[in-house]
Amino acid sequence: MKTLLLFSLLFCVKGLAFAQQPDWHGKKCAVALTYDDGLQVHLDNVIPVLDSLNLKGTFYLAGNFPGVKARLNDWKKAANRGHELGNHTLFHPCAGGRPGREWVNPTYDLTTYTLPRIVDEIKMTNTLLQAIDGKTSRTFAFPCGDRMIGDKNYYDVVKADFIAARGVTSEMRKASEIDLGNVGCYAMNGQSGEEMIALVKQAMSTNSVLVFLFHGVGGEHNLNVNLSEHNKLVRFLKQHEGNVWVAPFIDVAQSIKSVQAKR
């Protein structure tokens, strides 16, 4: 009788643990490759190599940026091939008025924004993106990681329009521990392929969610990684796809939501 009771208890515990595992197709970790600002190097350098490896990325478009306006049809083609187009606002407002932010355009200084203004610009960007890819489910990325207008987190006003939002905090966490309103990521700027691969290995060993944030890949932005180093990372991901689930950020966020809904 005691043996049967112990067996039943172990079965229940194992079943509970299984129910709380993310849907990573039996793999050790989830990796999302995200690229900000809708740069032309994303279309010319990044998407071709991802397509060659059958990997999908997430591209956060700021509607007024040159690489978006000049290449709308190419972004549509990318979406048709399974890449995610995410909302990075219409004008990419960041908080200025402090050291290191001298580059912020006064017209788009977040410290001068009102809540209605940022909400209107975010919703307009969703409309633009839907016109490009036909989709209504979307994720968001905070420009510069800035989230506040006065004492209000502006994402709270629009979060019903999104599956999740990506922030800029350098961290990887287990799915059950993630705040979907501010998902951490690792911003790349000058890292080697080996350094980026080390992050993937850490995610595998800890069964974590790992989000990469790229701007320039082979140029076009002062935050940049060498194209050959980026390609070392994505080739490693392809070679280890038996242990690493590489997916658009929206799919990773959906898996996190599923885990958290079971708690």
Side-chain angles (χ1 to χ4, degrees):
M1 184 66 179
K2 289 182 179 180
T3 301
L4 179 61
L5 182 61
L6 179 60
F7 177 81
S8 298
L9 180 61
L10 289 173
F11 181 82
C12 290
V13 170
K14 183 178 180 181
L16 179 61
F18 179 79
Q20 293 178 340
Q21 289 301 309
D23 182 17
W24 292 343
H25 311 283
K27 300 178 185 182
K28 294 181 178 180
C29 68
V31 172
L33 301 167
T34 72
Y35 304 81
D36 281 14
D37 298 350
L39 304 178
Q40 298 198 56
V41 291
H42 299 159
L43 293 164
D44 297 334
N45 293 348
V46 174
I47 288 176
V49 72
L50 294 183
D51 286 346
S52 74
L53 298 172
N54 195 29
L55 299 176
K56 309 303 177 186
T58 296
F59 297 86
Y60 285 108
L61 308 189
N64 192 50
F65 274 20
V68 177
K69 294 189 291 184
R71 307 281 294 272
L72 286 175
N73 193 51
D74 290 330
W75 289 114
K76 183 174 183 177
K77 290 177 181 178
N80 288 341
R81 291 198 294 271
H83 300 289
E84 177 190 359
L85 305 184
N87 189 318
H88 206 33
T89 74
L90 194 58
F91 298 110
H92 198 281
C94 295
R98 63 176 188 260
R101 290 288 181 88
E102 292 82 6
W103 55 268
V104 173
N105 185 330
T107 303
Y108 307 123
D109 186 336
L110 190 65
T111 64
T112 68
Y113 267 55
T114 63
L115 274 174
R117 179 180 177 184
I118 190 65
V119 169
D120 285 348
E121 292 181 8
I122 290 170
K123 288 182 177 291
M124 180 57 70
T125 304
N126 269 354
T127 300
L128 169 64
L129 294 173
Q130 186 178 356
I132 297 172
D133 65 15
K135 297 181 179 180
T136 55
S137 294
R138 197 76 58 193
T139 64
F140 182 78
F142 296 99
C144 302
D146 297 333
R147 298 180 291 155
M148 307 300 291
I149 292 180
D151 60 355
K152 180 71 174 180
N153 182 340
Y154 67 77
Y155 182 72
D156 289 341
V157 184
V158 297
K159 64 182 178 182
D161 295 334
F162 296 99
I163 303 299
R166 197 215 64 209
V168 296
T169 303
S170 299
E171 63 182 11
M172 64 179 80
R173 294 181 178 271
K174 295 183 182 297
S176 60
E177 302 169 351
I178 290 174
D179 174 7
L180 283 169
N182 187 29
V183 180
C185 69
Y186 287 84
M188 299 293 103
N189 184 25
Q191 283 82 359
S192 67
E194 289 73 20
E195 288 174 304
M196 293 185 279
I197 288 168
L199 289 171
V200 180
K201 291 178 178 178
Q202 181 182 342
M204 284 193 286
S205 68
T206 58
N207 303 121
S208 297
V209 173
L210 170 59
V211 181
F212 284 99
L213 162 56
F214 296 96
H215 288 84
V217 180
E220 201 180 337
H221 201 285
N222 63 326
L223 302 175
N224 182 66
V225 296
N226 188 284
L227 178 59
S228 63
E229 300 306 307
H230 169 272
N231 291 351
K232 288 179 185 177
L233 168 66
V234 296
R235 285 196 295 267
F236 177 88
L237 293 172
K238 183 64 177 180
Q239 292 163 1
H240 292 81
E241 61 184 352
N243 289 317
V244 181
W245 180 46
V246 182
F249 182 72
I250 193 169
D251 294 343
V252 174
Q254 289 282 24
S255 76
I256 295 167
K257 286 189 72 171
S258 297
V259 169
Q260 295 185 354
K262 296 172 184 176
R263 289 187 301 185

